[in-house]
Amino acid sequence: MTLQELRYAVALAHHANFARAAEACHVSAATLSIQLKKLEEYLGAMLFDRSVRHVVPTALGLEVVACARNMLAEAERIRELARP
């Protein structure tokens, strides 16, 4: 699990669309999809329901995305602490 994969999960939850989330992350939709699949495989669970018109987080996905937002905020805080 990487911070980048978590960023992609947060973006997909926010945009509910692979193309828009990928654009926001400055990657292709294929890259975003592959990285999210890797995250889901690592966790052993589906984080997003792709069977509906708009991609939506599963119940577990909502919890993971909430945790990911906190982790990303803390990572940014660490980066800021390290700046002179």
Side-chain angles (χ1 to χ4, degrees):
M1 178 172 33
T2 67
L3 289 177
Q4 193 61 50
E5 290 168 349
L6 296 176
R7 281 186 193 95
Y8 293 161
V10 168
L12 185 56
H14 176 75
H15 292 283
N17 177 282
F18 275 94
R20 286 189 297 245
E23 184 178 325
C25 293
H26 308 288
V27 297
S28 70
T31 296
L32 186 115
S33 179
I34 290 166
Q35 293 302 309
L36 286 172
K37 199 68 164 161
K38 279 179 51 180
L39 177 60
E40 290 177 325
E41 287 173 6
Y42 174 79
L43 295 174
M46 296 297 293
L47 301 178
F48 293 93
D49 182 357
R50 296 162 174 87
S51 66
V52 293
R53 180 175 164 92
H54 295 285
V55 179
V56 295
T58 62
L60 174 64
L62 288 172
E63 291 183 55
V64 169
V65 166
C67 289
R69 283 188 176 112
N70 291 332
M71 289 178 69
L72 293 169
E74 288 300 312
E76 182 57 32
R77 184 169 165 230
I78 290 168
R79 188 181 353 222
E80 289 172 5
L81 288 172
R83 289 186 186 141

